[in-house]
Amino acid sequence: MTSPSSSSAKTPEFGRPLQGWRLRCYTIIFEADTRAGRLFDLGLIAMVLLSLLTVMLDSVASIHNEHGRWLTGLEIFFTAVFTVEYLLRLACVRQPLRYALSFYGIVDLLAVLPTYLAFFVPELYALVDVRVLRLLRVFRILKLNAYVAEYASLALALRASSRKISVFITAVLMIVLVMGTVMYVVEGPINGFSSIPTSVYWAITTMTTVGFGDITPKTDLGRAIASLMMLLGWGVLAVPTGIVTAEMSAQRLASAPKATTRSCHVCLSEGHQADSKFCRHCGATLPAYQRD
Amino acid sequence: MTSPSSSSAKTPEFGRPLQGWRLRCYTIIFEADTRAGRLFDLGLIAMVLLSLLTVMLDSVASIHNEHGRWLTGLEIFFTAVFTVEYLLRLACVRQPLRYALSFYGIVDLLAVLPTYLAFFVPELYALVDVRVLRLLRVFRILKLNAYVAEYASLALALRASSRKISVFITAVLMIVLVMGTVMYVVEGPINGFSSIPTSVYWAITTMTTVGFGDITPKTDLGRAIASLMMLLGWGVLAVPTGIVTAEMSAQRLASAPKATTRSCHVCLSEGHQADSKFCRHCGATLPAYQRD
Amino acid sequence: MTSPSSSSAKTPEFGRPLQGWRLRCYTIIFEADTRAGRLFDLGLIAMVLLSLLTVMLDSVASIHNEHGRWLTGLEIFFTAVFTVEYLLRLACVRQPLRYALSFYGIVDLLAVLPTYLAFFVPELYALVDVRVLRLLRVFRILKLNAYVAEYASLALALRASSRKISVFITAVLMIVLVMGTVMYVVEGPINGFSSIPTSVYWAITTMTTVGFGDITPKTDLGRAIASLMMLLGWGVLAVPTGIVTAEMSAQRLASAPKATTRSCHVCLSEGHQADSKFCRHCGATLPAYQRD
Amino acid sequence: MTSPSSSSAKTPEFGRPLQGWRLRCYTIIFEADTRAGRLFDLGLIAMVLLSLLTVMLDSVASIHNEHGRWLTGLEIFFTAVFTVEYLLRLACVRQPLRYALSFYGIVDLLAVLPTYLAFFVPELYALVDVRVLRLLRVFRILKLNAYVAEYASLALALRASSRKISVFITAVLMIVLVMGTVMYVVEGPINGFSSIPTSVYWAITTMTTVGFGDITPKTDLGRAIASLMMLLGWGVLAVPTGIVTAEMSAQRLASAPKATTRSCHVCLSEGHQADSKFCRHCGATLPAYQRD
């Protein structure tokens, strides 16, 4: 899109093109094609990782007692930097509201919010770790667009199968609700199944084969039902893999093997089966097959 | 099927077509094409979910102590509504017995029965949760027929492989029985393996990789046998996935990819199949395919 | 094979054909084509299942105290029947030694042996459960040959990949040995890792995602190493399934969809891609594609 | 490469070809084509396995108390042998530094180093088990090159998908970090979640379905979040396998199987491919393919 000012950004949204310092800011912060942009993103990754480390270390009681003040100081510094960066972002896009409501905008806000909330509710301080989601943005610097593209194709595959997945998840939820309730009736609060929600939690730990062991069935009937659930949860994984493997092997053994390099000397076609005598494209006689 | 009365239902079974209020009931309750039918189903979903929530909350001791009477009252109300609905269903189909014995008929009966049984056996009250299965019926309202169809295709796939699955399950049951017995002999009741059924229960938790930890082997021989079982249970999942992945990759790398690098010299398009003679975009003759 | 006596068995091995009562025995016990043979096998299944139930119930302390004498008596009865049957089998085949050393022969021997051994070593009594393997034989009666055939094709598939499986298992064993040793050094006997074999046992419970919890790492370094092992053991399952799904979806989306029914009206070839304009076999123009 | 001395080794690196005793050493130690070379490798496997057994037995307290001196003596013997072998290896290759820095060179060094380090830091003694990695080298003796080749193809497949795997692992790490932090905030140190690193460790045990149970959520909200994580970790395995199975079955049922029912009217053979023009058995022209 042309513009009288040559220092305008190519897109981004409608309205007046960016100019001057706002354009420069935008180029550095949002794009990664220039050297300054790349350096900015690298510095951002480093800061995010350092701030994560700070919060994680601060949560360990022994380290907190010794170095708590330094760590808190560091964290205030990081939060200040990220806040300034966030305000800059708001300032140098054309439609700040649109940015603020986008996925990355919300992530950037959540990256600084917990520190401020912690003034009022100190226990929320640890939620600073949510800023790890900022690392999603800085994939560009490492030319990880290709990586994201790979993931996008997988996401596309999942979306195509979203119906099947919905049905599957609904079935699983129904099963754990019914089974959890049955175990609540069979075992009862005496044996640890203190309520239906608790029993459903147990049913999920069992069907997903996690098996914490904080709640376990004690009665024989309860253990029998638990056995059924375990075999079901594990079988949901084992049965399809077995079927798929058996089918693939059957295909490979029975049908035309892909890997034959036999070629017809008349029409030069390849890939004829090991037991073919004639070329299936032109009818010429194939030379005898010698296995390596 | 034609009928002298124009207000008859199109199907359902043999005998006299439905008329009058019975027809109206049938249309609203069993079918979801009219606005009333859709509203009815929506209201039904809402009621089922609310009643489930009621029962689940009532099972939590603290909530029961505080609001138990309200929750019980709510539940009696829901059960009354569902009972009336069930009786209406029986009343407005042509063959009540056929409906009562169908899958959905039994589900609808199980949805109200626990509350009545709870008068005699209070512990069965929680089985009210079984009414979650009613949600299977109300898939229609959300035009989830497509979802059910997706699931039906998967069910069809499973049925086609039902023999393999039977053999697999039988093998697993034999293994857990033999291994459970061996561990019972090796470890003995001192170490928690108090009987053969208990040991089989342990064997199932181990082979399905759930691993509650309520019973664990203490002797060296027992731990060695347990290690074998764990590797087996996990390997049943890991080995086929590894084989399948390797085979798919081998197919991709070695054989002619569906989209090769053949290019048409007229329109310069690429990716023609190995055995194509003509360009599928412009119709020009493709040069003979030479494998690199 | 012909024989002067018309009441000879068709095969079985070399030497004199079976005659008289030996032939009749053979037909009933080993084959299942006649009505007597089928009844024999059905009775055998029933007996095996009943004897299994007997042993399992007898292992439960409460039931043993009440009915122990009846159960022991029943078990002696079953063992007597199986012993007589085993001797009959030896008597009515041509080469008893060959049968005794075959898989089924050993299974049949193991079915009766534990009861006799239990006279000397009472704790081995429970190994009677090994006779469940006899159920493998009686698959014929239920015409489960087809089932066994299905399983045989899967076994064939596994044998074809036996090399890959060997390498995989060896790699897993090396990993658990090295990781187990590292955890033994890092955590030490104080934290439950009392010896290298114990640590290897723990490493197996972790890599196979069973996670009993009887031994758990307490130090930070130990937990970090454990985290790596858990991600590895789970990733070995998750990564291939993800790759396979992504590849299948990519094939489906990008390459010629199998399901296109477009056909060329000139050469009648089918399966052209949705965006093809010309037939790839004969070059004729394809009619425009209408998606359903 | 020719050389005036006929007793030179064919390769290995640049510089003077090996001669005399160095050549003989090289042939025996590094290659396995001669009988001496094979015997050497067999002896090496035996020694490695024996030394592993020695270290493992020595770690068991009871055995250590009884036979500790013998085992330590054995281990010193093995280490001496391996040290001499290592020095010989260094002596008889042309570029010792290159060997010392190669993978196998480092493995061989790690095989002897722990015993020497144990003089200074006795707890490291157990790391002798790292010498199990030496078994990778001796695959040649058992002509397991084919095995390694199989594994190499799988490694190649993994490398081709390395981007997808990186994205996947990064996503998993982000999820466990965020979820671990959330649980730290929700549950708190009172319930065992003593710091963020500990909570992340718990999150990994939960997502990978290991479920040790040393740390478990106690609050209702914590259990709800844990349920989500468990369904996610298990679903990552279950959903793709289900999709793959459904897709394969759909392909099988709906599309033209690779081996169709086309039959040749001359030789009556069946199963020709959909696009074949000539019978691959007898060369006759196949009738045009009509889909049913």
Side-chain angles (χ1 to χ4, degrees), chain C residues 53-70:
Chain C
L53 193 64
T54 306
V55 178
M56 288 180 74
L57 288 176
D58 198 32
S59 74
V60 181
S62 52
I63 300 180
H64 179 76
N65 292 336
E66 270 202 56
H67 308 283
R69 297 174 60 180
W70 287 102

Side-chain angles (χ1 to χ4, degrees), chain B residues 61-85:
Chain B
S62 52
I63 300 180
H64 179 77
N65 292 337
E66 270 202 55
H67 308 282
R69 297 173 61 181
W70 287 101
L71 293 172
T72 312
L74 265 174
E75 177 46 31
I76 292 177
F77 167 69
F78 286 130
T79 306
V81 169
F82 291 137
T83 313
V84 165
E85 182 217 343

Side-chain angles (χ1 to χ4, degrees), chain C residues 113-254:
Chain C
L113 212 56
T115 320
Y116 294 110
L117 288 178
F119 280 124
F120 309 105
V121 187
E123 288 81 17
L124 291 182
Y125 178 63
L127 284 178
V128 170
D129 270 352
V130 176
R131 70 174 53 148
V132 71
L133 294 174
R134 300 206 74 197
L135 291 177
L136 286 171
R137 175 195 281 274
V138 296
F139 268 156
R140 302 170 307 170
I141 184 66
L142 303 171
K143 293 207 188 306
L144 290 177
N145 277 346
Y147 287 72
V148 181
E150 292 270 12
Y151 210 49
S153 79
L154 188 60
L156 205 72
L158 287 177
R159 203 165 305 165
S161 313
S162 62
R163 276 196 206 157
K164 283 199 201 73
I165 298 175
S166 311
V167 173
F168 178 68
I169 291 177
T170 311
V172 169
L173 289 178
M174 281 193 194
I175 291 176
V176 292
L177 178 59
V178 173
M179 286 299 183
T181 306
V182 169
M183 289 300 284
Y184 170 74
V185 170
V186 167
E187 293 275 334
I190 300 174
N191 290 325
F193 291 76
S194 50
S195 67
I196 294 184
T198 304
S199 308
V200 172
Y201 160 76
W202 171 86
I204 292 179
T205 69
T206 303
M207 259 208 75
T208 58
T209 74
V210 171
F212 281 131
D214 49 352
I215 307 169
T216 51
K218 306 285 189 298
T219 65
D220 290 332
L221 179 59
R223 283 177 167 173
I225 298 173
S227 301
L228 278 172
M229 292 189 64
M230 290 190 268
L231 286 169
L232 184 66
W234 177 74
V236 165
L237 293 176
V239 163
T241 50
I243 293 179
V244 169
T245 309
E247 285 224 20
M248 295 201 72
S249 315
Q251 283 180 19
R252 235 176 173 236
L253 290 169

Side-chain angles (χ1 to χ4, degrees), chain D residues 90-106:
Chain D
L90 284 176
C92 75
V93 287
R94 283 200 226 173
Q95 296 197 334
L97 198 64
R98 185 174 165 127
Y99 162 72
L101 294 177
S102 71
F103 174 73
Y104 283 118
I106 294 177

Side-chain angles (χ1 to χ4, degrees), chain D:
Chain D
M1 172 186 163
T2 58
S3 146
S5 170
S6 59
S7 61
S8 310
K10 274 206 282 290
T11 24
E13 270 87 13
F14 325 96
R16 291 182 303 132
L18 297 176
Q19 291 173 4
W21 70 270
R22 288 182 70 201
L23 174 61
R24 185 137 185 75
C25 256
Y26 181 82
T27 316
I28 294 181
I29 298 182
F30 281 91
E31 294 184 358
D33 301 320
T34 66
R35 186 161 169 274
R38 289 174 56 91
L39 282 174
F40 174 81
D41 277 340
L42 271 172
L44 192 60
I45 303 178
M47 278 211 145
V48 172
L49 290 173
L50 278 173
S51 75
L52 286 175
L53 193 64
T54 306
V55 178
M56 289 180 74
L57 289 176
D58 198 32
S59 74
V60 180
S62 52
I63 300 180
H64 179 77
N65 291 336
E66 269 202 53
H67 306 284
R69 298 175 60 181
W70 287 102
L71 292 172
T72 312
L74 265 174
E75 176 47 30
I76 291 178
F77 167 68
F78 286 131
T79 306
V81 170
F82 291 138
T83 312
V84 166
E85 181 218 343
Y86 183 71
L87 294 172
L88 270 180
R89 286 181 187 269
L90 284 176
C92 75
V93 287
R94 283 200 226 173
Q95 296 197 334
L97 198 64
R98 185 174 165 127
Y99 162 72
L101 294 177
S102 71
F103 174 73
Y104 283 118
I106 294 177
V107 165
D108 293 339
L109 184 62
L110 286 180
V112 293
L113 213 56
T115 319
Y116 294 110
L117 288 178
F119 279 126
F120 310 105
V121 187
E123 288 83 15
L124 291 182
Y125 179 63
L127 283 178
V128 171
D129 269 352
V130 175
R131 70 173 53 147
V132 70
L133 295 174
R134 301 206 74 197
L135 291 177
L136 285 171
R137 174 196 282 274
V138 296
F139 268 155
R140 302 171 307 171
I141 185 66
L142 302 171
K143 293 208 188 302
L144 290 177
N145 278 343
Y147 287 71
V148 181
E150 294 269 11
Y151 209 48
S153 80
L154 189 59
L156 205 72
L158 287 177
R159 203 164 304 166
S161 313
S162 62
R163 275 197 207 158
K164 284 198 201 70
I165 298 175
S166 311
V167 173
F168 178 69
I169 291 177
T170 311
V172 169
L173 289 178
M174 282 193 193
I175 291 176
V176 293
L177 178 59
V178 173
M179 285 302 184
T181 307
V182 169
M183 289 300 283
Y184 169 74
V185 171
V186 166
E187 292 276 334
I190 300 174
N191 290 325
F193 291 77
S194 50
S195 66
I196 294 184
T198 304
S199 308
V200 172
Y201 160 76
W202 171 86
I204 293 179
T205 69
T206 304
M207 258 209 74
T208 58
T209 75
V210 171
F212 281 130
D214 49 352
I215 307 169
T216 51
K218 307 284 190 298
T219 65
D220 290 331
L221 178 60
R223 283 176 168 174
I225 298 172
S227 302
L228 278 171
M229 291 189 63
M230 291 190 268
L231 286 169
L232 184 66
W234 177 74
V236 165
L237 293 176
V239 163
T241 49
I243 292 178
V244 169
T245 310
E247 285 224 21
M248 293 202 73
S249 314
Q251 283 179 17
R252 233 175 174 237
L253 291 168
S255 65
K258 288 225 152 33
T260 70
T261 55
R262 279 183 93 185
S263 55
C264 170
H265 61 276
V266 172
C267 66
L268 299 180
S269 60
E270 281 192 7
H272 298 281
Q273 294 194 27
D275 59 347
S276 297
K277 292 186 177 29
F278 295 91
C279 170
R280 63 188 183 84
H281 292 286
C282 71
T285 311
L286 291 172
Y289 185 50
Q290 273 122 17
R291 233 192 167 84
D292 53 353

Side-chain angles (χ1 to χ4, degrees), chain A residues 158-212:
Chain A
L158 287 177
R159 203 165 304 165
S161 313
S162 63
R163 275 197 206 158
K164 284 199 199 73
I165 297 175
S166 311
V167 173
F168 178 69
I169 291 177
T170 311
V172 168
L173 290 178
M174 282 194 194
I175 291 176
V176 292
L177 178 60
V178 174
M179 286 300 184
T181 307
V182 170
M183 289 300 283
Y184 169 74
V185 171
V186 168
E187 292 275 333
I190 300 175
N191 289 325
F193 292 77
S194 50
S195 66
I196 294 184
T198 304
S199 307
V200 172
Y201 160 76
W202 171 87
I204 293 179
T205 69
T206 304
M207 257 208 76
T208 57
T209 74
V210 171
F212 281 130

